[in-house]
Amino acid sequence: MGALPSPRKTQEEKMIERGMESCAFKSLIACVGGFVLGGAFGVFTAGIDSNVGLDPKDPLRTPTAREVLRDMGQRGMSYAKNFAIVGAMFSCTECIIESHRGKSDWKNAVYSGCVTGGAIGFRAGLKAGVLGCGGFAAFSAAIEYYLR
């Protein structure tokens, strides 16, 4: 049996489809998703950290609820920003690499992981950049292997 005929797409549908497939849109979605996920992760880790809210000058004083919540919010925001940046960098580089190669396979994620990890690690020096590249590439390869 043949496939069912589908109605032709309107110009508006084609325009929206092109926009949603663009690297900028994919990066924006990854950035927002990373921000939300990072914020939740930061608040969670602050919630299980016994040192949240403690004053290093007076460690015996019990912190107030306001101090604990402030520290949790600060950690949540810090994680949110970091996850957003990493998500946007990875998504953008993967999309650009995929567009350049013209293929959608596991290698795109590995190359993107190397670029992202290398860029993040390079701030601490060449050795850290090389290790970041290798670490992110290996992690990306493992995730791609697991998901495909």
Side-chain angles (χ1 to χ4, degrees):
M1 287 186 139
L4 294 173
S6 60
R8 292 193 181 268
K9 293 180 182 175
T10 65
Q11 285 301 108
E12 291 83 14
E13 288 173 326
K14 289 179 184 177
M15 183 180 71
I16 290 172
E17 193 173 87
R18 277 192 308 270
M20 292 181 73
E21 290 176 356
S22 72
C23 291
F25 183 78
K26 289 179 180 179
S27 296
L28 179 67
I29 293 297
C31 184
V32 171
F35 188 85
V36 171
L37 185 64
F41 190 69
V43 169
F44 173 75
T45 58
I48 60 174
D49 185 1
S50 60
N51 292 328
V52 170
L54 289 180
D55 184 7
K57 297 172 190 164
D58 188 11
L60 298 178
R61 188 180 67 79
T62 303
T64 64
R66 175 173 287 184
E67 291 169 335
V68 170
L69 290 174
R70 186 187 69 238
D71 281 358
M72 288 176 76
Q74 287 174 344
R75 186 178 299 187
M77 186 57 72
S78 174
Y79 276 50
K81 289 188 284 188
N82 289 330
F83 275 54
I85 289 169
V86 171
M89 283 178 64
F90 182 86
S91 180
C92 184
T93 55
E94 184 179 32
C95 184
I96 290 169
I97 290 169
E98 183 178 319
S99 298
H100 181 73
R101 290 184 67 226
K103 295 179 183 177
S104 179
D105 60 7
W106 62 273
K107 292 178 184 178
N108 297 334
V110 173
Y111 297 151
S112 179
C114 180
V115 170
T116 303
I120 292 169
F122 191 67
R123 295 182 343 186
L126 182 61
K127 185 177 179 182
V130 171
L131 289 173
C133 169
F136 263 71
F139 182 72
S140 298
I143 294 296
E144 285 294 315
Y145 178 78
Y146 178 75
L147 292 178
R148 291 187 190 221

